[in-house]
Amino acid sequence: MNLNQLYYFKTVAQLQHFRKAAEKLNISQPSLSLSISNLEKELGTYLFERQGRNVSLTKYGEIYLEYVKEALSILEIGEKKLRKITSDTQGHIDIAYISPLASYFIPKKVRAFLESDDNKDIKFTFRQGITSQLIDGLKSSKYDIVFCSYIEDEPEIVFDLLFKDELLLIVPQDHPLSVLDVIDLKDISKYPIVSYEKSTALGKVTMDIFKKADITPNIICESEDENGIYGLVSEGFGIALVADIINPDNFKVKQIKIKNTDCNRSIYMAYKKNTYQAPAVRKFIKYINSTSKDIFIYDNN
């Protein structure tokens, strides 16, 4: 049984005439008759009764027709849905990103992209997570595009460098350093530090920054994301080199700008290499690469 046989059966049932059905289907009448005969043999029953040039459904054909109509209708809905989401004007894009990009960069870029008449009907799904989770989701095709830190040894992933995101020092509000607005990294070496987990992308970045500054950090605890670190610092566990978050005012911390010029992390747009991308996805990647290179998003106000 194949899909053509189902369309042939439905058409003959509607027109109740093999010649008319063959003309509508643009095939020869013998080919149509053979296809229906093979379908009947496969089902083990007659679907039509021949009445001269006309045909009518048997009671078994009437039962089967209802299921065929339903099946073909579902397939047609699926085809329309697929064409819509893979359209370059009505597609759907699944993106995910690290939390520091949630309050400004992602909303601004998506809104600007959608302001074009050619893009206004494209739909987005938004997710947040840490870099390792985002890359796993990208590789499993859960996401089309992710915005994150760089991860080594991912040959199947394209990482397009977009910009650098400046890191901050955060301290408890009653900490001796809380009177400062700007600090040099060498002045934090004697204080306990809350750090990103060393296995995370930002954990590796911050450890490299400490190394370049000739600091051996006294790390007393670790967390995988910004909210965890802000919470620990807020409760006096230590100070931290960390990315900004959406609502820092929810925590009892003071944010201090770091004067060292290399105290930042790079933000990348990542997507799978050598795989099919829907037109809308390709269009959004091109847009981001053309509008987001080498900007700097730190805001100390």
Side-chain angles (χ1 to χ4, degrees), residues 203-223:
K204 296 173 183 177
V205 168
T206 52
M207 291 306 295
D208 187 56
I209 289 173
F210 289 137
K211 183 178 179 181
K212 289 179 180 178
D214 198 25
I215 295 173
T216 302
N218 176 23
I219 297 175
I220 50 101
C221 57
E222 299 178 350
S223 180

Side-chain angles (χ1 to χ4, degrees), residues 192-196 220-223 229 232-233 237-241:
I193 290 177
V194 179
S195 177
Y196 292 96
I220 50 101
C221 57
E222 299 178 350
S223 180
I229 294 176
L232 291 168
V233 172
F237 282 85
I239 65 176
L241 184 61

Side-chain angles (χ1 to χ4, degrees), residues 2-225:
N2 58 53
L3 192 58
N4 280 340
Q5 286 177 307
L6 300 184
Y7 279 112
Y8 294 170
F9 166 69
K10 179 184 175 183
T11 302
V12 174
Q14 289 172 334
L15 298 178
Q16 298 186 25
H17 200 287
F18 269 86
R19 180 180 58 78
K20 293 179 181 179
E23 290 175 354
K24 182 175 182 179
L25 293 167
N26 197 29
I27 62 173
S28 68
Q29 184 173 336
S31 295
L32 177 60
S33 298
L34 179 61
S35 180
I36 296 299
S37 177
N38 289 337
L39 179 61
E40 289 176 326
K41 289 178 182 177
E42 188 167 349
L43 293 172
T45 188
Y46 287 103
L47 299 173
F48 294 101
E49 292 179 349
R50 276 68 175 174
Q51 299 173 341
R53 294 183 177 180
N54 296 325
V55 293
S56 62
L57 287 168
T58 66
K59 66 177 182 177
Y60 309 109
E62 290 177 352
I63 293 172
Y64 191 55
L65 179 61
E66 294 305 311
Y67 289 100
V68 168
K69 284 181 177 179
E70 183 177 357
L72 293 178
S73 175
I74 291 172
L75 287 173
E76 288 170 1
I77 291 171
E79 180 182 357
K80 290 178 181 178
K81 177 69 173 179
L82 195 61
R83 291 186 183 279
K84 183 175 181 179
I85 65 175
T86 58
S87 164
D88 63 349
T89 58
Q90 293 184 302
H92 189 105
I93 306 174
D94 292 300
I95 66 172
Y97 41 88
I98 52 179
S99 59
L101 303 181
S103 62
Y104 181 82
F105 178 78
I106 294 296
K108 290 288 186 181
K109 286 299 176 183
V110 173
R111 172 51 59 202
F113 176 76
L114 293 175
E115 284 178 354
S116 168
D117 287 340
D118 290 338
N119 303 334
K120 62 184 177 65
D121 293 323
I122 294 174
K123 307 299 182 184
F124 282 82
T125 298
F126 302 91
R127 296 287 187 273
Q128 291 184 43
I130 63 173
T131 292
S132 59
Q133 295 169 344
L134 301 185
I135 294 300
D136 286 343
L138 184 63
K139 291 193 290 187
S140 66
S141 298
K142 181 178 181 181
Y143 310 127
D144 297 308
I145 307 167
V146 302
F147 298 84
C148 59
S149 299
Y150 180 78
I151 291 186
E152 296 180 345
D153 301 322
E154 291 290 351
E156 299 305 314
I157 304 297
V158 176
F159 288 91
D160 289 340
L161 176 62
L162 299 181
F163 55 83
K164 294 187 182 295
D165 180 22
E166 187 169 351
L167 300 181
L168 305 167
L169 181 72
I170 58 171
V171 303
Q173 289 179 346
D174 58 355
H175 193 276
L177 296 177
S178 64
V179 298
L180 301 176
D181 293 320
V182 181
I183 194 171
D184 192 294
L185 276 182
K186 62 180 174 51
D187 296 327
I188 74 170
S189 58
K190 65 180 180 180
Y191 297 103
I193 290 177
V194 179
S195 177
Y196 292 96
E197 291 182 3
K198 293 183 180 64
S199 61
T200 64
L202 257 181
K204 296 173 183 177
V205 168
T206 52
M207 291 306 295
D208 187 56
I209 289 173
F210 289 137
K211 183 178 179 181
K212 289 179 180 178
D214 198 25
I215 295 173
T216 302
N218 176 23
I219 297 175
I220 50 101
C221 57
E222 299 178 350
S223 180
E224 70 174 11
D225 62 20

